[in-house]
Amino acid sequence: MLSKHHDPVIAIATAPGRGSVGIVRISGPNVREFAQALAQKTLQPREATYLAFRDAQGVPIDHGLLIFFPGPHSYTGEDVLELQAHGGPIVLQLLVARCFELAQDCRPPRQQPLLPSLRMAQAGEFTQRAFLNDKLDLAQAEAIADLIDASTEAAARSASQSLSGVFSKEVVVLKDALVHLRMLVEATLDFPEEEIDFLKKADAEGQVVRLSQSLSQLTQRAQQGALLREGLTVVIAGQPNAGKSSLLNALAGAELAIVTPIAGTTRDKVQETIQIEGIPIHIVDTAGLRASEDIVEKIGIARTWDAIGAADALVFLHDISQATAAKYIAADEDIASATARILPKHVPIIHVWNKGDLMAPAPSQEGIVISAKHGQGLEALRHKLLEVAGWSAPAGGVFIARERHLQALRRVAAHLENAHLHLKAHIQTLDLMAEELRLAQLALAEITGEFTPDDLLGVIFSKFCIGK
């Protein structure tokens, strides 16, 4: 995609389907002449012009608005033309076809086509051009996709924060402090006889410590932002008839899963996303775990174990009415042993006792007691899910973040730690300290896109929708 970013591109910029308004967008160099040929009049920049969009024979395709944004004062930084028409898919396709036709037109008095290299835009190409033309940095560009995809109000507001540059500004502040320290260390390498006193007077170690503290705070906020974006996948597992489907329905507030007294009713996993304080929680109901000869049920049980292995948290649901039955206890122990072998050690297990409306828990019973049928204990379970997710809204607010941002911040932390160790070793390893600071700076620059491999850009923008 990067090799062709000078071509003019066109795409339908509104979502597929029917709507009251649809937009066709064109971006690229030298779009002004094309825009005026399409309008058959002189256009004023950023001024909506109402007109008939006509085909080659002069027959109206539709009536709508045409707006021309000359670069660099546009979304992409290039000349941008928007055609706003009625939102029928056929109408918009006809407008795109007409634009391609006009782009190749070289009838007198024109000596050559208006936009001979016009092509369909690839996914995310308009935003990619905005990034390449310094209209926004990479973190802001990603925030656009996150704003579109936000599944909760909190996620949308956090994406808006990142789009406005809050996250990027904090990264830049950290990077500037890092660059200052790096310049200080590298300057001492030219004057080895004075470097120790020079670094002490400049409080180089204090600067490293303060950088690490600022980085830790930024990472904590980024982790919260990543949680808002990705959510938490919670698998409900346990023996048949423990009430897993009832719990899913209770948390979702809807009858999503079939509930019967017959053991083995759930044969396959059922998933629903709920919100708890704005955090998306992806709840997965699974088939009950037991020995079975039923072929279909065995497949469902195998899928349950697959789901458990991929969980961010596990709700191990027990039937409190069977809490003292030896056979039931033994089966629970077998499930616990198998789970310990499959589940990564960092994944939390929440023990929940259902059917608390039938009997009181024993004094020694650990876990949360609920009644999925009557709603008892559900609020405590919701708070526990937030706790294991690690959610705590930072005082400075939340911005949206991605896993690649967290990975970059972790690399910065590792390089700063190494730099601190080299500083303590003084003269012998100051050149290594300077290198660690350089690597930390590069890791930070990846977040905003100052230093980003082209293949990573391709992956990021390919996940955008067409027309954005």
Side-chain angles (χ1 to χ4, degrees):
M1 186 190 299
L2 289 174
S3 61
K4 299 181 179 180
H5 71 271
H6 293 299
D7 293 344
V9 292
I10 183 172
I12 297 172
T14 39
R18 300 183 180 185
S20 60
V21 176
I23 297 175
V24 173
R25 178 180 293 153
I26 301 173
S27 179
N30 305 318
V31 170
R32 181 189 295 269
E33 187 179 355
F34 173 86
Q36 301 196 148
L38 182 64
Q40 297 183 347
K41 63 170 67 176
T42 301
L43 297 172
Q44 296 301 317
R46 294 173 294 280
E47 184 177 295
T49 301
Y50 179 76
L51 46 70
F53 299 117
R54 301 180 183 275
D55 63 17
Q57 288 71 45
V59 178
I61 298 171
D62 193 9
H63 290 73
L65 299 177
L66 189 148
I67 309 175
F68 174 65
F69 302 89
H73 306 295
S74 68
Y75 176 70
T76 63
E78 305 170 327
D79 287 351
V80 172
L81 179 66
E82 285 194 357
L83 287 66
Q84 300 182 9
H86 293 97
I90 300 301
V91 171
L92 297 178
Q93 289 166 16
L94 287 172
L95 288 177
V96 170
R98 174 55 184 151
C99 287
F100 272 111
E101 187 178 40
L102 183 60
Q104 298 297 327
D105 186 8
C106 56
R107 291 175 296 176
R110 287 187 289 273
Q111 301 300 314
Q112 58 185 7
L114 289 167
L115 294 175
S117 56
L118 180 67
R119 60 175 173 82
M120 292 299 297
Q122 299 181 30
E125 190 165 3
F126 290 104
T127 303
Q128 185 186 57
R129 289 176 179 225
F131 164 69
L132 293 173
N133 292 323
D134 296 323
K135 301 298 290 186
L136 38 73
D137 64 37
L138 192 56
Q140 289 175 296
E142 290 170 305
I144 293 171
D146 294 333
L147 184 59
I148 294 170
D149 294 336
S151 59
T152 69
E153 179 182 345
R157 291 184 181 278
S158 297
S160 182
Q161 285 271 86
S162 287
L163 178 56
S164 67
V166 173
F167 182 29
S168 300
K169 288 174 185 174
E170 295 205 17
V171 170
V172 169
V173 168
L174 193 62
K175 188 200 70 176
D176 288 346
L178 186 58
V179 168
H180 179 269
L181 177 59
R182 181 185 166 193
M183 291 173 59
L184 179 69
V185 173
E186 292 187 354
T188 64
L189 297 176
D190 295 329
F191 305 97
E193 68 282 357
E194 301 177 13
E195 59 187 8
I196 299 302
D197 289 340
F198 185 64
L199 289 176
K200 284 183 178 178
K201 288 178 181 178
D203 190 24
E205 185 169 3
Q207 289 188 47
V208 173
V209 171
R210 288 190 292 275
L211 268 169
S212 297
Q213 291 172 343
S214 298
L215 176 65
S216 177
Q217 294 170 1
L218 181 61
T219 302
Q220 197 270 337
R221 293 180 65 192
Q223 287 172 334
Q224 302 301 296
L227 183 59
L228 275 176
R229 181 179 184 270
E230 306 292 345
L232 187 77
T233 298
V234 178
V235 173
I236 307 173
Q239 295 186 54
N241 268 4
K244 296 182 294 298
S245 297
S246 296
L247 178 55
L248 170 67
N249 292 343
L251 289 171
E255 296 297 318
L256 302 173
I258 298 172
V259 177
T260 75
I262 303 171
T265 297
T266 301
R267 298 299 185 94
D268 202 355
K269 61 183 182 182
V270 179
Q271 180 170 324
E272 179 67 11
T273 298
I274 65 172
Q275 293 184 39
I276 303 178
E277 293 186 18
I279 306 300
I281 307 292
H282 313 296
I283 306 290
V284 183
D285 174 29
T286 60
L289 297 170
R290 65 174 178 177
S292 174
E293 297 303 319
D294 184 294
I295 295 177
V296 177
E297 188 175 2
K298 286 173 73 174
I299 294 172
I301 291 171
R303 291 181 177 180
T304 295
W305 287 116
D306 289 341
I308 289 173
D312 295 322
L314 176 67
V315 170
F316 191 165
L317 195 63
H318 312 273
D319 183 346
I320 199 169
S321 66
Q322 301 288 324
T324 58
K327 186 176 179 180
Y328 189 85
I329 293 172
D332 260 6
E333 289 175 349
D334 289 342
I335 293 172
S337 297
T339 299
R341 293 192 296 271
I342 293 174
L343 205 63
K345 295 186 183 301
H346 69 275
V347 176
I349 300 175
I350 305 171
H351 290 276
V352 178
W353 296 86
N354 191 26
K355 306 181 184 179
D357 53 309
L358 300 180
M359 61 183 297
S364 60
Q365 215 156 48
E366 295 183 1
I368 300 171
V369 178
I370 69 166
S371 168
K373 183 177 181 180
H374 298 289
Q376 171 191 340
L378 292 184
E379 194 59 30
L381 177 57
R382 292 188 182 99
H383 284 301
K384 185 65 177 178
L385 289 173
L386 286 180
E387 179 185 321
V388 300
W391 172 252
S392 58
V398 180
F399 42 72
I400 211 75
R402 297 185 170 203
E403 181 58 31
R404 81 168 190 91
H405 302 150
L406 294 178
Q407 291 176 1
L409 291 173
R410 292 183 192 114
R411 294 203 308 276
V412 175
H415 291 310
L416 277 179
E417 183 178 354
N418 291 337
H420 198 180
L421 293 174
H422 291 311
L423 179 61
K424 289 182 176 180
H426 299 307
I427 297 175
Q428 296 87 341
T429 57
L430 279 184
D431 54 341
L432 296 178
M433 178 187 180
E435 176 62 11
E436 291 292 347
L437 293 176
R438 185 186 74 83
L439 293 173
Q441 180 185 342
L442 288 179
L444 272 180
E446 285 184 20
I447 294 176
T448 55
E450 292 176 62
F451 171 76
T452 308
D454 287 353
D455 56 349
L456 176 58
L457 291 180
V459 170
I460 290 172
F461 288 105
S462 68
K463 299 182 184 301
F464 278 58
C465 54
I466 298 291
K468 196 61 180 177

